[in-house]
Structures are given as structure tokens and as C-alpha cells.
Amino acid sequence: MQFFKKRDAILYQSKLDKKKDIYLFAKDKNETGAKIFYINSLKNIYNLILKGNANFYEFWTESQELKFSLDIDFENTEKNANKIVKNICKFVIKELKEFHPNYSFSNVIILKSLPTDIKQNSFHIIFDKVKFKNHKQCRGFFNYLKSKNEMAYCD
């Protein structure tokens, strides 16, 4: 489903069965920053992206649980990107061990986008089995990490 107002999309999503794999996404409508909102499954959005219909943004609701992840972006000229990513992961794992003593690098999923002439080297790091009640708690953990380490290149 497509919506022109975020609140309409959230209202529609709230009426759906919570067990369904349905999420809130947005896409730029035009250069002004206006968005079109979509309620769709991850599988359908993934298939749209595979067909070249990219540039979707995931949005979270107040009650949506989510896994902790990081986006790490470097300029194409960065020579130590892999080493920096590994060091950031090690730091996060060290901090996670305070809450999850058995957490290890084997729980980390590292996805790397192929660099292009106009884009950066981009990594998406998923810390599997680390979930937060909502995006605010997740942001709080990220801010905690930033208070202990610069977390350069991360968001």
C-alpha cells in the first residue's frame, strides 16, 4: 500500500496482524524531500530493489522491535576500510559482552556494497541476536557507544 502521509501509513499498519512481515518504508517523491510511504513486506521491497527500484528508507514505529545494526560509509579512497570495520565490530562486541557475555564475532553479519564512481564504500553491520524494544532504545545504545568511542564513519 502507498500513502502520501506518514501518519496514514502508520495507522494502516497498526490495524494489520502483528505476525505479518509488514514494515513501513519511504521513498523520495521529488527533490524537495517529500516522501511517499509504503506498507509492505521485506520480501516485496527486496524484490523491488532487485528490479532496480532502489532508494527505499526504512522507518520505525514507537512499538517496533529492531536488531542493532550500523551503517559504515567510507570514501572510495579509504585504504583501511576492512580493518576499520573489523575494529568497530570488536569494540561493539566488547561493549555487548556486558549484557550478552557469550556474544562473539560469529554473531555479526557484515554486508558490503560494491563501490561505484559516485558512491562510497558502504558496509551494513548487523549484530544478530541483539534486539531493542524500539528505535529510541537502539539510538540510546548507539549514543552510549559514541560516548566511549568516536565511532567514526558510523550511523
Side-chain angles (χ1 to χ4, degrees), residues 66-128:
L66 68 149
K67 285 184 183 180
F68 184 69
S69 64
L70 293 172
D71 286 322
I72 306 175
D73 297 314
F74 303 97
E75 295 297 325
N76 283 342
T77 56
E78 177 58 59
K79 301 287 185 218
N80 296 314
N82 290 332
K83 182 178 180 181
I84 293 169
V85 168
K86 188 173 183 178
N87 286 338
I88 289 170
C89 289
K90 285 180 179 178
F91 166 72
V92 173
I93 291 166
K94 179 179 146 289
E95 294 302 316
L96 283 171
K97 284 186 177 276
E98 296 288 321
F99 311 100
H100 301 283
N102 296 322
Y103 204 83
S104 70
F105 210 90
S106 65
N107 299 112
V108 179
I109 301 165
I110 301 175
L111 305 171
K112 183 178 188 242
S113 300
L114 296 174
T116 66
D117 293 339
I118 58 171
K119 288 202 172 187
Q120 305 165 328
N121 280 309
S122 183
F123 293 80
H124 185 69
I125 315 302
I126 302 166
F127 293 87
D128 198 24

Side-chain angles (χ1 to χ4, degrees), residues 22-34:
I22 302 294
Y23 297 92
L24 175 62
F25 295 91
K27 189 171 183 165
D28 291 331
K29 182 178 178 181
N30 54 39
E31 297 81 28
T32 67

Side-chain angles (χ1 to χ4, degrees), residues 14-48:
S14 72
K15 294 178 181 177
L16 297 174
D17 181 359
K18 296 288 184 202
K19 294 179 184 174
K20 291 187 179 182
D21 176 34
I22 302 294
Y23 297 92
L24 175 62
F25 295 91
K27 189 171 183 165
D28 291 331
K29 182 178 178 181
N30 54 39
E31 297 81 28
T32 67
K35 306 253 184 276
I36 298 173
F37 296 91
Y38 297 87
I39 300 296
N40 216 325
S41 71
L42 292 175
K43 183 178 180 180
N44 286 344
I45 294 294
Y46 178 73
N47 287 333
L48 287 171

